[in-house]
């Protein structure tokens, strides 16, 4: 058999709410057994020390806490449906989600894939309590029960398209599920498989059966292979593992807990009784598993036994093992069973043992077996080449093999052979362009469906990372980016160290106002607008800090420098890194700004920003043209270098004047001066004049007398003025060689003052560009009409984004974010990381691999999602054999004093519900009734599918309820109704239209 890797684990067992707590319980030989919780049943009602008919001889067992808690909001399941669901389904949903997260893969990324789900389940007590009350059977009760739904619901909510099935072979169910999952992987039916087991004890029925069959331990504890063994103690729990073919896991850089080398399943056939074990069948299943794994019995260092603690069961199991291991001399095989810690978890027993073995191989130590101190001498373990684990077993270096047995009460036996993960399994894939990625600072991200859930998970991550502060921030950040994604509320924060990150997470979680600045609600598609800054924004050493910190930016600035070098006679890169003041000279300023603009835009594009709109101010259009694919980089470099050089060669004596007035107000004065022109129109009262200094002085004096404010600009030449004419012919010759074509992206031209429509940015365009005014305000206004979500400043300092925002009206500006990758002269990787965080919060899907250097792209297991336990759902109690006086029943069948099925109703809006008309009231009430939402918990903004968990069955019931509440309404057409269910408000509008039409 080809090896199968265990790449993800999650579990909840008695005394152990997660895998870390489970391992701690095992290592300290902890006891998860205690009294039957009052919530389940009144144990005294069913107790009889003598095991009388209809009674159990114990009041103890292994029970998980908070089995009634379920985060139905997270899975968009209505309270009504959640209350009808078997808690085994609820536990499995959350466990499967966390197990997938543990692989380092976002669960939502599996949507649509052929991922398989295989669930071992033995009990169906929820159905016994609900489906026999025929008057209360609903569509939700029907789908909330049944073995198949334990697996099918996982596939449904995660949108998995692979095999999905439940397995009931009694106590071996979940190990048989693992066996089937491995076979499906090796057969190519799926590339990823979730194998799980679950067991929740809701009634004393099975305990009564064990008692009547003489199998029940009076103290409710299994004592595997012990001289004190006296029967089974019931246990419960849920566990899930995520499996992949080992070669695939290694190829994808996923950490591996352990490797399944071989599995086998068989049947007892006709033994001494239907429930009696068969030594020879057990021995044969071991032999088959060893054969499939390609190992000899002597290779197996330890085995997790079935170990129920019944005299007959332990004896048969030891003899079966002895048939293969009795000839081991001097090195007996270690034996133990987790049932001593948890009780017999029945349908979850196989996965409980599997997780124990996987963690033992992962940590390279096998925990001691509880109750091993008093070994049963009748078992003659040493004679059979076995020894009980009375102390933890430290595993030797190198490959180690362990076994796992799980035997079903009806005779279905399963065995698995596991091996420690190969040393190379955790190595990440090599980057395609080593050393050319990374921005110098990590960005930690987290998403959640609600703001409250976000704060809860910030705390969970901070607590977990507090214990792993030595892990590099880059590793933590990269892992969070891949894993903690897919929900509506997005949190992001830069981090230079894990210690700083922990502090930031705690601060954000503890201050209800602070997360608002680090969190945003993703709402629809993003439309980033890139604004390329023009001349005047340069300064010595611009972006040198970013070049130092960010290999990704470094790569693109180097590329621009290489393209410019044949035309500039020197390195722009070295000019910037040396902070040479020559950058203010036009011959250097324009190529330098082009290089910075190109490198910033290329960096952001590599980071996942997909420009929807482009605008460049004057020379900023050259880098914009490259991004828009109107000019190749090399030709744009040739053009901008020639432009700067030719302008630098012009005689000095020109200047520029910024005037606080509209261009129309200045037209008469400009027309009167042939050597002056309008250079730029930046806003309603923001115009720049350019030309001869003497002529500008005359205009300035006139403006001062008229009370108009103006300011001289520090420039070397009169750009965009008649004084540029002497260079045009020589520049045109270069432009003809460079060419130019129609941009592939929308360019809002500051030459035309509008969007270019099938117009090439060719030689004629660039020649006119030298002399013509920069119509920034017109171009920016039209760009804003296209509803950009982000204004990204592509330049060495914020200039254009503030100018553009001033053109926004108040309502329009609320949803537009300004992002400055280089906000100041000292900016570096940290500031770029701040920009990336802002973009992510605003809905941009970042290409996270580009954010990190090769050594940081290593998977680190983060704390899984912390589900809410605010909402509780539970069942009616079983009827005792000899019922005492019962408490009065409340509506819904709950016993008075019990926790209600939905202790805390879901609230999707904090605003008060106001009813405007009968239609609104009828629709809101109908939705609340169908979903069992509390009055006032829903609003017209609530989405029926995404927020409230409606499905086709609920929609049909909703239609019926609305028609009942509005008798004057014509019957609603299903075909017309379905497209109007995006939100309750949409539905209200549709019903209102139908009612008005009928009036």
């Amino acid at each position: 058999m080809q090896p199968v890797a265990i790449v993800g684990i999650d579990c909840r067992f008695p005394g152990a709410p997660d895998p870390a707590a489970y391992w701690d319980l095992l290592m300290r030989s902890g006891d998860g057994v205690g009294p039957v919780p009052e919530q389940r049943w009144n144990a005294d009602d069913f107790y009889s020390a003598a095991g009388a008919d209809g009674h159990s001889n114990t009041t103890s067992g292994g029970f998980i806490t908070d089995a009634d808690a379920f985060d139905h909001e997270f899975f968009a399941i209505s309270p009504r449906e959640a209350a009808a669901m078997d808690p085994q389904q609820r536990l499995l949903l959350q466990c499967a989600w966390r197990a997938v997260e543990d692989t380092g893969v976002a669960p939502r990324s599996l949507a649509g894939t052929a991922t398989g789900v295989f669930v071992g389940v033995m009990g169906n007590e929820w159905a016994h309590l609900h489906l026999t009350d025929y008057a209360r059977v609903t569509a939700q009760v029907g789908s909330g029960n049944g073995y198949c739904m334990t697996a099918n619901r996982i596939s449904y909510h995660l949108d998995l398209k692979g095999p999905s099935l439940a397995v009931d072979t009694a106590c071996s169910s979940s190990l048989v599920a693992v066996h089937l999952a491995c076979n499906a992987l090796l057969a190519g039916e799926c590339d990823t498989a979730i194998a799980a087991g679950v067991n929740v004890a809701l009634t004393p029925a099975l305990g009564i059966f064990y008692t009547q069959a003489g199998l029940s331990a009076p103290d409710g504890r299994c004592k595997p292979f012990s001289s004190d063994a006296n029967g089974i103690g019931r246990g419960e729990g849920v566990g899930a593992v995520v499996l992949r073919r080992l070669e695939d896991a290694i190829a994808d850089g996923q950490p591996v807990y352990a490797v399944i080398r071989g599995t086998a399943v068989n049947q007892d056939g006709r033994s001494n009784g239907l429930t009696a074990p068969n030594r020879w069948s057990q021995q044969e299943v071991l032999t088959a598993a060893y054969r499939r794994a390609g190992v000899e019995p002597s290779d197996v260092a330890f085995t997790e036994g079935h170990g129920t603690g019944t005299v007959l069961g332990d004896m048969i199991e030891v003899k079966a093992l002895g048939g293969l291991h009795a000839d081991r001399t001097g090195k007996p095989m270690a034996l133990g069973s987790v049932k001593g810690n948890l009780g017999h978890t029945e349908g979850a027993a196989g996965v409980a043992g599997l997780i124990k073995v996987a963690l033992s191989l992962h940590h390279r130590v096998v925990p001691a077996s509880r109750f091993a101190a008093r070994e049963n001498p009748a078992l003659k373990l040493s004679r059979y080449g076995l020894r009980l684990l009375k102390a933890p077993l430290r595993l030797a270096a190198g490959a180690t093999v362990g076994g796992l047995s799980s035997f079903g009460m009806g005779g279905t036996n399963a065995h698995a052979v596991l091996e420690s993960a190969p040393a190379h399994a955790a190595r990440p894939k090599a980057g395609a362009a080593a050393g050319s990625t990374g921005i110098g600072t990590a960005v930690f991200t987290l998403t959640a469906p609600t703001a409250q859930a976000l704060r809860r998970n910030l705390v969970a991550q901070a607590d977990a990372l507090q214990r792993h502060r030595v892990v590099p921030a880059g590793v933590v950040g990269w892992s969070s980016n891949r894993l903690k994604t897919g929900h509506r509320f997005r949190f992001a924060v830069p981090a230079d160290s894990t210690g700083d990150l922990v502090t930031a997470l705690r601060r954000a979680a503890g201050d209800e106002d602070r997360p608002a600045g680090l969190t945003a609600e993703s709402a629809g598609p993003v439309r980033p607008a890139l604004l390329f800054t023009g001349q005047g924004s340069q300064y010595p050493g611009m972006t040198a800090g970013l070049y130092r910190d960010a290999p990704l930016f470094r790569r693109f600035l180097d590329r621009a420098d290489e393209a410019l070098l044949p035309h500039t006679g020197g390195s722009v890169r070295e000019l910037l890194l040396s902070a040479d003041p020559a950058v203010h000279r036009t011959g250097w300023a324009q190529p330098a700004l082009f290089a910075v603009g190109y490198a910033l835009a290329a960096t952001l594009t590599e980071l996942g920003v997909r420009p929807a709109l482009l605008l460049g101010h004057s020379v900023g259009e050259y880098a914009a043209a490259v991004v828009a694919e109107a000019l190749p980089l090399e030709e744009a470099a040739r053009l901008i270098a020639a432009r700067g050089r030719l302008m630098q060669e012009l005689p000095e004596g020109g200047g520029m004047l910024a005037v606080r007035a509209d261009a129309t107000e200045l037209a008469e004065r400009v027309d009167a001066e042939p050597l002056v022109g309008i250079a730029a129109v930046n806003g309603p009262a923001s115009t720049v004049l350019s030309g001869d200094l003497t002529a500008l002085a005359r205009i300035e004096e006139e403006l001062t007398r008229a009370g108009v404010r103006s300011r001289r600009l520090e420039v070397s030449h009169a750009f965009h003025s008649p004084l540029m004419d002497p260079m045009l012919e020589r520049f045109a010759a270069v432009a003809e060689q460079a060419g130019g074509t129609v941009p592939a992206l929308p360019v809002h031209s500051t030459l035309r003052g509008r969007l270019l429509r099938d117009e090439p940015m060719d030689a004629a365009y660039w020649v006119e560009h030298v002399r013509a005014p920069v119509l920034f305000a017109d171009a920016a206004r039209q760009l804003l009409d296209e509803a950009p979500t982000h204004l990204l400043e592509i330049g060495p300092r914020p200039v254009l984004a503030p100018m553009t925002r001033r053109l926004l009206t108040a309502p329009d500006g609320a949803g537009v974010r300004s992002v400055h990758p280089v906000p100041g002269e000292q900016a570096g990787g940290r500031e770029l990381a701040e920009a990336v965080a802002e973009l992510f919060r605003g809905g941009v899907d970042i290409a996270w691999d580009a954010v990190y250097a090769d050594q940081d792209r290593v998977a680190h297991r983060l704390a899984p999602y912390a589900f809410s336990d605010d909402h509780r759902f539970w069942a009616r109690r079983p009827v005792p054999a000899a019922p005492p006086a019962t408490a009065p029943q409340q509506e819904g069948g709950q016993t008075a004093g019990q926790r209600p099925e939905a202790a805390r109703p879901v609230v999707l809006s904090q605003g008060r519900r106001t009813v405007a008309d009968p239609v609104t009231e009828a629709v809101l009430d109908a939705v609340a009734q169908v979903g069992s939402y509390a009055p006032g918990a829903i609003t017209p903004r609530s989405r029926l599918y995404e927020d409230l968990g409606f499905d086709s069955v609920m929609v049909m019931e909703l239609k019926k309820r609305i028609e009942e509440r509005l008798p004057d309404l014509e019957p609603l057409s299903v075909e017309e109704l379905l497209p109007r269910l995006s939100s309750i408000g949409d539905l209200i509008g549709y019903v209102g239209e139908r009612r008005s039409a009928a009036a």
Side-chain angles (χ1 to χ4, degrees):
M1 164 176 163
Q2 294 178 355
V4 171
I6 300 174
V7 294
I9 290 175
D10 189 64
C11 62
R12 282 181 66 185
F13 291 114
D18 56 49
Y22 183 45
W23 182 246
D24 177 69
L25 179 81
L26 295 173
M27 286 302 294
R28 59 182 172 81
S29 292
D31 183 12
V33 176
V36 175
E38 184 181 351
Q39 183 191 54
R40 308 304 179 87
W41 63 84
N42 188 340
D44 291 338
D45 289 346
F46 300 93
Y47 175 68
S48 166
D53 290 347
H55 290 74
S56 170
N57 67 345
T58 183
T59 59
S60 297
F63 296 90
I64 60 175
T65 58
D66 296 328
D68 58 342
F70 179 53
D71 193 348
H72 69 100
E73 292 174 304
F74 181 86
F75 294 101
I77 294 174
S78 70
R80 182 183 183 188
E81 185 173 7
M85 287 168 59
D86 186 334
Q88 294 182 133
Q89 293 184 29
R90 304 195 296 248
L91 290 168
L92 277 167
L93 262 183
Q94 297 186 165
C95 185
W97 181 278
R98 289 163 60 106
V100 173
E101 276 198 324
D102 193 49
T103 71
V105 171
R108 291 187 186 275
S109 70
L110 294 180
T113 67
T115 298
V117 180
F118 304 82
V119 173
V121 58
M122 174 177 162
N124 199 17
E125 295 176 351
W126 186 264
H128 300 159
L129 293 170
H130 287 76
L131 287 178
T132 53
D133 189 350
Y134 303 133
R136 297 179 184 275
V137 173
T138 64
Q140 289 73 31
V141 170
S143 62
N145 288 276
Y147 293 134
C148 64
M149 291 298 181
T150 56
N152 298 165
R153 193 174 285 276
I154 295 172
S155 298
Y156 170 76
H157 282 283
L158 272 63
D159 191 21
L160 309 178
K161 302 301 179 68
S164 182
L165 54 96
V167 180
D168 179 11
T169 59
C171 319
S172 60
S173 297
S174 52
L175 192 55
V176 172
V178 170
H179 169 78
L180 295 175
C182 289
N183 287 344
L185 284 167
L186 300 181
E189 293 181 337
C190 52
D191 294 324
T192 300
I194 301 170
V198 66
N199 190 56
V200 178
L202 301 175
T203 76
L206 205 53
I208 294 171
F209 161 69
Y210 289 153
T211 298
Q212 301 308 310
L215 301 173
S216 176
D219 63 352
R221 288 174 172 81
C222 297
K223 307 168 192 69
F225 313 110
S226 169
S227 60
D228 296 324
N230 57 352
I232 295 171
R234 288 195 74 186
E236 63 181 21
V238 60
V241 295
V242 180
L243 308 176
R244 299 197 70 200
R245 291 180 291 270
L246 178 62
E247 60 182 353
D248 294 341
I250 292 174
D252 289 343
Q254 289 182 294
V256 176
Y257 282 105
V259 176
I260 299 175
R261 288 280 304 273
T263 62
V265 172
N266 73 359
Q267 233 287 332
D268 284 348
R270 191 169 181 84
S271 58
N272 290 334
L274 177 62
T275 61
N278 183 321
R279 168 193 172 176
W280 305 110
S281 291
Q282 290 184 14
Q283 185 170 322
E284 288 167 5
V285 83
L286 289 165
T287 301
Y290 293 164
R291 182 175 63 252
R292 290 194 78 195
V295 301
E296 297 297 326
S298 58
D299 296 329
V300 182
F302 68 97
T303 289
E304 169 70 10
H306 187 58
T308 56
T310 62
V311 175
L312 178 62
D314 285 358
M315 180 69 72
I316 294 293
E317 183 170 8
V318 166
K319 288 183 177 181
L321 287 166
L324 298 172
H325 295 275
D327 59 353
R328 297 171 71 125
T329 56
K331 194 176 180 182
M333 185 184 70
L335 179 64
S337 174
V338 72
K339 291 180 180 66
N341 305 90
L342 309 178
H344 190 347
T345 53
E346 298 162 356
V351 77
L354 181 76
I355 292 173
K356 176 185 173 182
V357 174
L359 292 177
S360 298
L361 292 167
H362 178 67
H363 293 293
R364 305 209 64 79
V365 59
V366 187
S369 187
R370 187 170 167 79
F371 299 109
R374 288 172 51 82
E375 179 181 318
N376 184 355
L379 297 178
K380 302 177 182 177
L381 292 175
S382 60
R383 172 182 169 185
Y384 290 113
L386 310 173
R387 69 181 180 91
L388 272 188
L389 275 170
K390 300 177 182 179
L393 170 65
R394 299 289 171 183
L395 300 177
T400 303
V401 177
L404 164 66
S405 291
S406 194
F407 306 136
M409 184 169 54
T412 299
N413 308 306
H415 190 80
V417 178
L418 280 74
E419 186 177 52
S420 51
H424 61 279
R427 293 177 187 170
K429 293 186 295 185
S436 61
T437 58
I439 63 173
T441 297
V443 180
F444 180 87
T445 56
L446 188 65
T447 66
T450 66
Q452 182 182 6
L454 188 67
R455 282 193 291 272
R456 183 174 65 249
N457 277 274
L458 288 172
V459 172
Q461 293 303 318
D463 290 345
L465 291 171
Q466 179 70 38
R467 300 187 292 271
H468 299 282
R469 296 169 73 98
V470 297
V471 180
V475 172
V476 173
W478 184 73
S479 298
S480 75
N481 307 150
R482 298 173 72 233
L483 180 60
K484 300 296 183 178
T485 186
H487 300 292
R488 190 187 305 176
F489 285 83
R490 295 180 167 208
F491 171 91
V493 64
D496 293 307
S497 72
T498 301
D500 290 344
L501 174 60
V502 170
T503 301
L505 295 178
R506 294 201 189 283
R507 188 183 304 121
D511 183 350
E512 291 197 6
D513 295 328
R514 181 170 178 77
L518 302 172
T519 310
E521 183 177 1
S522 180
V526 294
R527 291 177 56 78
L530 272 57
L531 311 179
F532 293 80
T533 315
Q535 194 166 346
S537 61
Q538 74 276 0
Y539 52 86
M542 61 181 177
T543 69
L546 186 56
Y547 187 91
R548 177 194 64 237
D549 295 343
L552 182 63
F553 176 78
R554 193 181 308 150
R555 189 211 313 176
F556 293 114
L557 191 69
D558 288 349
R559 187 176 298 174
D561 185 57
E562 183 180 347
L564 286 164
L565 194 57
H567 313 294
T568 53
S571 170
V572 167
R573 176 188 61 207
E574 298 308 318
L575 177 86
L576 297 178
L577 297 182
S578 63
D580 192 335
V583 74
H584 288 302
R585 296 176 58 194
T586 298
W588 282 115
Q590 293 188 13
L593 286 168
F594 168 77
V596 167
Y598 164 77
L600 279 174
T603 296
L604 289 168
T605 302
E606 193 83 354
L607 289 169
V609 177
R610 299 292 174 259
L613 308 163
L614 302 172
L615 181 150
H617 192 288
S618 186
V619 296
E621 281 201 345
Y622 283 82
V626 176
V627 174
E629 301 178 14
L631 279 174
L633 172 62
E634 293 73 18
E635 297 305 327
R638 186 207 303 215
L639 266 180
I640 194 68
R643 189 183 197 273
R645 182 182 69 254
L646 293 172
M647 287 185 177
Q648 184 71 47
E649 293 173 357
L650 291 172
E652 296 186 2
M656 302 182 80
L657 182 70
V659 184
R660 298 281 293 182
D662 290 340
T664 53
E665 299 172 19
L666 301 172
E668 185 176 343
R669 289 185 173 91
V670 171
D671 290 343
E673 297 286 355
L675 296 180
V676 173
I678 293 177
V681 182
N682 293 326
S686 179
T687 305
V688 178
L689 305 182
S690 180
D692 177 74
L693 286 174
T694 303
L696 282 177
R698 288 195 293 268
I699 294 175
E700 185 178 17
E701 184 179 349
E702 292 175 8
L703 292 172
T704 302
R705 286 198 301 269
V708 178
R709 294 171 55 190
S710 62
R711 177 175 58 88
R712 288 289 184 102
L713 301 180
E714 293 291 332
V715 295
S716 60
H717 293 79
F719 306 112
H720 298 281
S721 80
L723 299 188
M724 296 289 105
D725 292 348
M727 65 160 283
L728 293 182
E729 185 176 346
R730 286 189 294 165
F731 182 71
V734 178
E736 287 293 343
Q737 295 176 352
T741 187
V742 175
L745 294 174
V747 173
H748 288 263
S749 166
T750 53
L751 173 60
R752 305 288 180 229
R754 56 171 172 76
L755 176 68
L756 293 179
R757 296 179 176 86
D758 298 324
E759 300 165 73
M761 300 178 83
D762 56 9
Y765 182 93
W766 295 115
V767 172
E768 184 181 356
H769 189 273
V770 172
R771 173 71 170 75
V774 179
L775 303 179
F776 172 80
D778 291 341
R781 284 193 189 95
Q782 195 177 96
L783 179 143
L784 291 172
D785 289 342
E786 299 297 323
T789 55
H790 299 79
L791 302 177
L792 279 80
E793 186 85 38
I794 309 301
R797 68 168 99 232
V799 176
L800 299 187
M803 288 167 57
T804 304
R805 294 197 72 88
R806 285 195 286 270
L807 300 173
L808 283 165
T809 58
D812 294 335
V816 182
R817 299 165 180 265
S818 295
V819 182
H820 306 295
V822 185
E825 296 189 11
Q826 303 305 314
R830 174 81 185 196
E831 287 71 24
L832 180 55
E834 293 275 8
V836 169
E838 175 67 15
L839 289 166
F840 173 77
R841 291 191 292 264
V844 175
D845 291 325
I846 302 296
W848 291 110
D849 280 2
V851 175
Y852 301 93
D854 293 346
Q855 66 268 22
D856 288 331
R857 295 198 296 270
V858 179
H860 172 70
R861 286 192 168 97
L862 298 173
Y865 187 85
F867 289 103
S868 169
D869 59 2
D870 288 347
H871 308 295
R872 307 284 175 142
F873 308 92
W874 204 241
R876 296 182 293 277
R877 294 184 179 211
V879 179
T886 57
Q889 294 287 308
Q890 297 176 331
E891 183 180 355
Q894 292 176 312
T895 305
Q898 279 185 267
R899 191 192 303 267
E901 288 184 337
R904 226 181 264 187
V906 61
V907 177
L908 298 173
S909 170
Q910 299 301 319
R912 295 181 59 188
R913 169 180 161 187
T914 57
V915 178
D917 59 72
V919 170
T920 301
E921 181 175 16
V923 172
L924 288 172
D925 287 346
V927 170
Q929 181 181 10
V930 172
S932 291
Y933 287 97
I938 54 178
T939 73
R941 294 182 59 191
S942 304
R943 299 174 298 175
L944 284 155
Y945 296 121
E946 295 89 341
D947 296 333
L948 305 181
F950 270 56
D951 57 22
S952 58
V953 173
M954 297 173 74
V955 166
M956 294 308 295
E957 183 178 351
L958 176 62
K959 173 181 177 293
K960 175 184 174 183
R961 301 292 183 195
I962 293 173
E963 291 170 347
E964 289 175 348
R965 283 168 169 74
L966 298 171
D968 58 337
L969 184 69
E970 293 286 336
L972 299 174
S973 163
V974 175
E975 290 77 13
E976 293 180 5
L977 176 66
L978 292 178
R980 301 296 299 271
L981 296 175
S982 60
S983 68
I984 294 179
D986 191 20
L987 176 59
I988 290 170
Y990 168 68
V991 174
E993 292 167 9
R994 289 295 306 272
R995 192 164 184 255
S996 298

